Amino acid sequence: MNAQRLGTIVRLELTQRTRSVAWYILLGVFALLLVIVTALSFMAFSWSDREQGSAIYSTIVYITLLLVVLVSPTLSGNSINGDRDAATLAPVQVTLATTADIIVGKFLAAWITGLAFVAVSIPFLVIATLSGGADAATITVSLLVLIVEVGIIAAIGVALSGVIARPLFSVATTYLVVAALVIGTPIAFALVGATMRTEQTYNNRSIDWESYEEDGEFPCMPGESPSDDYPCVQDPSPECGEWSTYTNEVPRFDRVWWILAANPFVILADATPTTFDANGYPVDLFGQIKLGIRAAQEPPADEVTWDECSPQSMEDQQPTPEEIIAQSTPSWFVGLGLQILLAAGLLWWAWSRTSTPARRLPPGTRIA
């Protein structure tokens, strides 16, 4: 590959894309959606003063990734076969530009095009950051992962446009591959996890409320105190009923949590450092999604006990979200590696299908 030839191809691709008025309309619609999302986020998280910026920032980053996922396949899914149909690919192939120059150049152009949407979101991210609460490490890592994910989606689209002869089919296939990563992984996680079940024993004991009906008094629960509106009795040893035991089946999501590793939204959440509040709970969407993924790694207990006579002792046994995340295994680098392998494999396939001289071409393929 040659840097000068790559620069020429990238410049031609970007010129072709930015020449259309529809491109600027699309960016304007994207900015309008971010304005609406930012305004709604400020209203939704107005109850939190200290962590408001973190919650709004993570929301805008996720909306940006979502919109890029929806738009990028259309912009990159016909890069190669679209030029072939327009009879503009063959004149480039007879120049000094190699097949690798053409594919990599189109990939870089598609990546830059996707980053234009990230650039539109920067003012809104700055507003969220200035509102307070956003951590510097969270901002840096989340933006880096967002940029890489935009490049991977662009690479998949460009590669499939070189593998599939028809632009319509390549765009549709790109959407299917992206949908499999974004939507297919949680569906497979839920369905496969629900098929793997194990028995769990549940022991339960409740307060004998009937013993308090005669005098009309009832015991105060832990943390409660009697008052005129709430006339409970501080009984250190309330009357308890009999223990009841039953068994039921619970799904084993701990065996299939790895399916979610290749999801772009999961990778973004799992790779971003988590900020916790004073009670150990995540303050943004990154941490909340990470908590759900990490909690899925925990196998269900063989036996669960709940004693209403001393609920405080049972609550103390539950780990905090911060402890769950600290004790679990990150998976973002595995998922990101799988995505990079997928994109690289498809780009190699596109190179083998686009290289000249071609031995065989699909029926109806236009050459010049």
Side-chain angles (χ1 to χ4, degrees):
M1 288 187 294
N2 180 274
Q4 184 177 2
R5 294 195 295 263
L6 277 177
T8 302
I9 294 174
V10 171
R11 185 171 62 253
L12 290 175
E13 286 287 318
L14 294 177
T15 302
Q16 183 179 1
R17 295 175 187 273
T18 57
R19 186 179 298 171
S20 173
V21 178
W23 165 248
Y24 298 98
I25 295 177
L26 185 61
L27 291 178
V29 172
F30 186 84
L32 179 60
L33 290 175
L34 289 180
V35 170
I36 297 174
V37 169
T38 304
L40 292 176
S41 298
F42 269 99
M43 291 186 290
F45 299 107
S46 59
W47 55 270
S48 176
D49 296 331
R50 296 181 59 184
E51 291 84 14
Q52 184 184 33
S54 298
I56 297 173
Y57 176 86
S58 59
T59 302
I60 295 175
V61 171
Y62 267 120
I63 292 298
T64 302
L65 178 58
L66 175 63
L67 295 178
V68 170
V69 165
L70 295 175
V71 174
S72 184
T74 303
L75 300 176
S76 61
N78 61 349
S79 297
I80 298 176
N81 50 20
D83 287 357
R84 184 181 287 118
D85 277 3
T88 57
L89 179 63
V92 178
Q93 289 178 310
V94 298
T95 64
L96 294 178
T98 63
T99 304
D101 292 331
I102 295 173
I103 293 178
V104 175
K106 288 182 176 293
F107 158 62
L108 293 177
W111 194 356
I112 295 172
T113 302
L115 292 180
F117 294 96
V118 179
V120 172
S121 68
I122 288 179
F124 304 96
L125 296 176
V126 171
I127 294 174
T129 303
L130 294 178
S131 63
D135 184 70
T138 300
I139 295 173
T140 303
V141 175
S142 62
L143 286 180
L144 288 176
V145 176
L146 178 62
I147 292 172
V148 173
E149 288 295 333
V150 172
I152 290 174
I153 296 172
I156 292 174
V158 172
L160 289 175
S161 71
V163 173
I164 301 175
R166 304 300 181 188
L168 178 61
F169 293 153
S170 63
V171 171
T173 305
T174 303
Y175 271 113
L176 289 177
V177 173
V178 174
L181 295 174
V182 176
I183 304 175
T185 49
I187 292 177
F189 166 77
L191 294 179
V192 178
T195 60
M196 300 180 180
R197 311 182 70 84
T198 186
E199 283 193 354
Q200 184 181 71
T201 302
Y202 189 84
N203 302 313
N204 180 44
R205 184 175 67 164
S206 301
I207 295 177
D208 187 7
W209 297 102
E210 295 181 357
S211 62
Y212 295 93
E213 291 180 354
E214 295 180 359
D215 51 10
E217 296 178 343
F218 51 91
C220 297
M221 301 300 291
E224 298 177 346
S225 58
S227 64
D228 295 337
D229 297 331
Y230 192 73
C232 62
V233 178
Q234 288 184 329
D235 188 355
S237 57
E239 296 291 336
C240 298
E242 297 293 332
W243 283 97
S244 61
T245 302
Y246 65 91
T247 60
N248 63 339
E249 291 187 342
V250 293
R252 295 297 303 267
F253 293 114
D254 59 299
R255 296 176 177 174
V256 295
W257 64 268
W258 50 268
I259 296 178
L260 296 172
N263 188 297
F265 294 87
V266 172
I267 292 174
L268 178 59
D270 199 48
T272 303
T274 307
T275 304
F276 302 93
D277 60 14
N279 298 319
Y281 287 87
V283 299
D284 53 24
L285 289 180
F286 301 136
Q288 293 172 7
I289 294 177
K290 178 188 291 187
L291 174 61
I293 302 304
R294 299 291 186 87
Q297 299 180 16
E298 297 294 327
D302 295 332
E303 186 174 358
V304 177
T305 302
W306 172 255
D307 188 1
E308 191 178 21
C309 296
S310 58
Q312 191 64 38
S313 61
M314 305 306 301
E315 294 177 359
D316 294 339
Q317 299 177 11
Q318 300 296 325
T320 64
E322 186 173 5
E323 293 173 345
I324 293 176
I325 292 178
Q327 297 170 2
S328 54
T329 304
S331 62
W332 63 268
F333 52 89
V334 178
L336 191 61
L338 291 175
Q339 288 186 357
I340 293 175
L341 287 177
L342 173 63
L346 289 175
L347 286 173
W348 177 84
W349 193 4
W351 173 84
S352 64
R353 294 271 291 179
T354 312
S355 60
T356 53
R359 296 181 179 180
R360 290 184 299 176
L361 291 174
T365 300
R366 183 174 182 177
I367 299 177

